[in-house]
């Protein structure tokens, strides 16, 4: 008996295999980009909702304080100013202060103060953690409000407000601004030529 070999039934050629690999790589890249876009869109929506809550709390603060607002420069340390005002935590211990033995209710009840950063617990609300930030008096460990990208929310006075030194605020709004630097973490509105020309990727209370 003779064994016949059909030469036309061979496997894939090297070129065909390389083409398949290239197509799979392209599809994987597209899938990752789409997934990244969806995740970033979700984080963006979260930031916008959180900023709305912070803004509402600051309006309540202003109503209780005869229209006055805390000083804020829009830097990293201003995130602590935002938290201490809205959580009524002036002594920086991570809990609302007391007055005549009664705990003062926060102006923003959505804060989730994380005291154990190693626990990695899932918490609902706007994360607040203690971290070292740069202030006018050097680096200090303060409670700050985190955005969905792990950066700090920023706060600054508006253009018709005066701070404790008598200088006008640098904000866009006439009263105050609350904003996040977005996913890229750039554009704080202070280092640009125009103080109000924030990076386009920022998430802002005035947009």
């Amino acid at each position: 008996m003779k064994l016949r070999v059909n030469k036309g039934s061979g496997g894939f050629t090297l070129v065909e295999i390389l083409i398949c690999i290239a197509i799979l790589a392209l599809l994987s890249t597209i899938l990752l980009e789409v997934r990244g876009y969806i995740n970033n869109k979700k984080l963006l929506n979260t930031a916008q909702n959180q900023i709305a809550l912070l803004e509402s709390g600051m309006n309540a603060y202003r109503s209780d304080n005869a229209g006055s607002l805390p000083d804020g420069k829009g830097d990293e340390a201003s995130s602590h100013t935002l938290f201490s005002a809205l959580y009524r935590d002036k002594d920086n211990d991570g809990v609302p202060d007391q007055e005549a033995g009664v705990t003062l209710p926060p102006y923003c009840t959505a804060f989730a103060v994380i005291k154990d950063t190693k626990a990695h617990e899932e918490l609902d609300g706007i994360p607040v953690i203690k971290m070292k930030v740069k202030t006018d008096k050097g680096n200090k460990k303060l409670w700050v409000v985190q955005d969905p990208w792990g950066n700090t929310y920023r706060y600054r006075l508006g253009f018709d407000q005066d701070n404790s030194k008598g200088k006008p605020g640098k904000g866009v709004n006439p009263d105050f601004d609350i904003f996040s630097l977005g996913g890229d973490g750039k554009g704080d509105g202070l280092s640009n030529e125009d103080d109000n020309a924030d990076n386009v990727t920022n998430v802002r209370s005035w947009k």
Side-chain angles (χ1 to χ4, degrees):
M1 293 180 65
K2 293 183 179 180
L3 180 64
R4 292 184 178 182
V5 178
N6 187 354
K7 296 182 179 180
S9 62
F12 291 107
T13 65
L14 179 60
V15 174
E16 291 171 332
I17 293 174
L18 291 175
I19 291 174
C20 288
I21 293 174
I23 292 173
L24 289 174
L26 179 61
L27 291 174
S28 297
T29 302
I30 294 174
L31 181 61
L32 287 174
E33 289 182 357
V34 170
R35 182 180 296 176
Y37 173 80
I38 294 174
N39 288 340
N40 192 62
K41 187 70 175 177
K42 183 178 179 181
L43 295 176
L44 180 64
N45 290 336
T46 299
Q48 290 172 336
N49 292 334
Q50 290 178 349
I51 286 176
L53 292 172
L54 296 172
E55 188 178 16
S56 176
M58 190 57 74
N59 283 325
Y61 174 97
R62 180 173 54 181
S63 296
D64 274 1
N65 290 272
S68 65
L69 291 163
D71 188 20
K73 300 179 180 178
D75 55 5
E76 192 176 42
S78 70
S79 185
H80 171 69
T81 302
L82 181 68
F83 170 70
S84 61
L86 298 187
Y87 206 55
R88 306 178 85 165
D89 177 25
K90 293 183 179 180
D91 58 4
N92 194 39
D93 63 353
V95 295
D97 298 330
Q98 290 190 345
E99 192 174 277
V102 179
T103 301
L104 299 173
Y107 290 110
C108 180
T109 58
F111 287 131
V113 181
I114 304 172
K115 295 190 176 181
D116 184 5
T117 56
K118 296 180 181 179
H120 300 292
E121 53 186 323
E122 290 290 333
L123 295 174
D124 292 329
I126 308 174
V128 177
I129 66 168
K130 204 168 192 179
M131 61 179 284
K132 190 175 289 186
V133 297
K134 185 178 181 181
T135 70
D136 293 338
K137 298 180 181 179
N139 293 334
K140 288 188 175 182
K141 208 166 186 181
L142 302 169
W143 291 102
V144 296
V145 189
Q146 279 193 321
D147 65 16
W149 296 276
N151 300 315
T152 56
Y153 278 114
R154 309 295 181 98
Y155 160 80
R156 65 188 173 202
L157 286 177
F159 57 77
D160 69 351
Q161 294 289 329
D162 292 333
N163 60 22
S164 58
K165 297 181 181 179
K167 296 180 181 179
K170 298 292 185 180
V172 176
N173 285 321
D175 43 16
F176 63 87
D177 298 337
I178 297 174
F179 61 100
S180 158
L181 300 187
D184 62 2
K186 298 178 181 178
D188 56 11
L190 301 174
S191 58
N192 300 322
E193 292 182 2
D194 180 357
D195 282 331
N196 295 331
D198 295 274
N199 188 285
V200 294
T201 59
N202 286 2
V203 188
R204 308 168 249 201
S205 60
W206 61 94
K207 184 176 180 180

